[in-house]
Amino acid sequence: MKLVLDTHTHTIASGHAYSTVHDYVNAAKAKGIELFAMTDHGPAMPGGPNIFHIGNQRVIPREIDGIEILRGVEANIMDFEGNIDIDEMYIERLDLIIASLHDVCIEPGSEEENTKALVNAMNNKYIDIIGHSGNPKFPINIERVVKAAKEKNIIIEINNSSFNNPGRSGSKDNCIAIARLAKELGVKVVAGSDAHISFDVGKFDTVLEVFELINMPEDLIMNTSKEKLKKHLLEKGKSLEEKTITPIK
Ligand SMILES: [Zn+2]
Ligand SMILES: [Zn+2]
């Protein structure tokens, strides 16, 4: 199975990442990745970008050197009501929104509270992907989260960095359980590299192990064709076109 796109990358603007858009284009080209989404952290991340960085992505060409770029963000879920750190006027311009729990932005709660945070975030019509939900720091009721994703047509990310990231150690068993249930319920999944340097774009080795282990059907994996991902985003109401910009005050 060939995965041709990456929905989760961070540029230098995220504050603790080390590459530029140019670097990602070059790395994607070298690795046979046809499309990537630029998903820098939301502004609540310590050292994260100013909201104007997130809002101004219309200046990024849709395609550079044959590589397509989606304009996105990894929003921070800030409370158990599922509120995120980006206002509607900014996210409505973007192509792809990941929503994730990070312990520097929200103190991990009980299983009930963390589950509520993810399920409530999915009520936000702009959110496309729930990021790294296998993180054991934020225990969740997997069944409720995956069922909510099914109901809202939201993609569940299986995050390649989680298995090697000391901050999210112990993720693998949870990710396997999440992926298994996604398969059973027919929920769309996506492999995200969560690259913080361009060399890691399209790095999916550990996610592929999980997909192989559970025999994840290819039609549920959103990385296998650009058209499949874009069709999903269009169905969700994303225009993937230029947007009239609200002047930044
Ligand atoms: Zn994250
Ligand atoms: Zn990330």
Side-chain angles (χ1 to χ4, degrees):
M1 181 170 25
K2 181 153 170 47
L3 305 185
V4 298
L5 62 91
D6 191 344
T7 50
H8 194 156
T9 67
H10 295 273
T11 73
I12 199 159
S14 279
H16 54 270
Y18 306 93
S19 297
T20 65
V21 176
H22 302 69
D23 299 329
Y24 275 100
V25 167
N26 290 336
K29 220 173 147 185
K31 294 173 101 173
I33 292 292
E34 300 166 5
L35 172 151
F36 68 90
M38 206 182 107
T39 54
D40 280 309
H41 286 291
M45 173 64 63
N50 187 286
I51 188 65
F52 301 154
H53 170 82
I54 306 298
N56 200 32
Q57 291 182 64
R58 77 191 192 292
V59 302
I60 301 171
R62 288 258 158 223
E63 190 175 321
I64 306 173
D65 225 0
I67 307 297
E68 287 187 56
I69 304 173
L70 294 181
R71 302 157 184 176
V73 69
E74 183 182 17
N76 293 294
I77 300 174
M78 300 305 291
D79 54 40
F80 302 129
E81 275 65 59
N83 291 305
I84 59 168
D85 59 343
I86 303 173
D87 290 343
E88 187 168 341
M89 70 173 273
Y90 293 100
I91 51 173
E92 69 171 10
R93 297 175 199 166
L94 300 176
D95 304 323
L96 183 144
I97 321 289
I98 305 174
S100 305
L101 291 163
H102 296 113
D103 61 1
V104 288
C105 295
I106 176 172
E107 191 75 28
S110 63
E111 180 181 303
E112 175 62 28
E113 287 170 326
N114 301 329
T115 302
K116 230 177 90 187
L118 292 188
V119 171
N120 286 339
M122 286 190 245
N123 288 328
N124 182 327
K125 66 176 178 180
Y126 296 106
I127 288 172
D128 305 297
I129 297 175
I130 290 293
H132 51 72
S133 57
N135 183 0
K137 266 193 187 160
F138 288 92
I140 52 163
N141 181 315
I142 289 175
E143 196 173 333
R144 277 171 58 200
V145 169
V146 178
K147 277 187 173 160
K150 171 78 180 173
E151 200 182 305
K152 306 278 176 193
N153 194 18
I154 283 175
I155 303 170
I156 298 271
E157 176 192 76
I158 308 294
N159 185 297
N160 202 76
S161 297
S162 288
F163 307 152
N164 311 314
N165 181 335
R168 300 202 290 264
S169 65
S171 289
K172 193 166 184 178
D173 288 347
N174 290 341
C175 291
I176 292 170
I178 290 165
R180 263 193 224 284
L181 193 60
K183 176 187 170 184
E184 197 182 310
L185 299 178
V187 174
K188 293 168 184 162
V189 295
V190 75
S193 72
D194 205 355
H196 283 66
I197 191 159
S198 59
F199 311 119
D200 284 345
V201 69
K203 187 169 188 282
F204 299 130
D205 50 343
T206 48
V207 179
L208 282 168
E209 279 173 31
V210 172
F211 287 165
E212 272 160 33
L213 178 77
I214 67 151
N215 269 320
M216 181 61 88
E218 202 171 316
D219 61 315
L220 291 178
I221 302 171
M222 303 305 286
N223 308 76
T224 56
S225 103
K226 288 188 292 188
E227 286 63 39
K228 182 157 65 173
L229 177 71
K230 288 197 278 188
K231 184 170 171 275
H232 171 89
L233 294 172
L234 289 167
E235 275 168 16
K236 295 280 293 187
K238 308 287 160 140
S239 76
L240 307 182
E241 299 292 340
E242 296 302 325
K243 297 265 177 69
T244 313
I245 195 160
T246 317
I248 291 171
K249 294 185 192 89

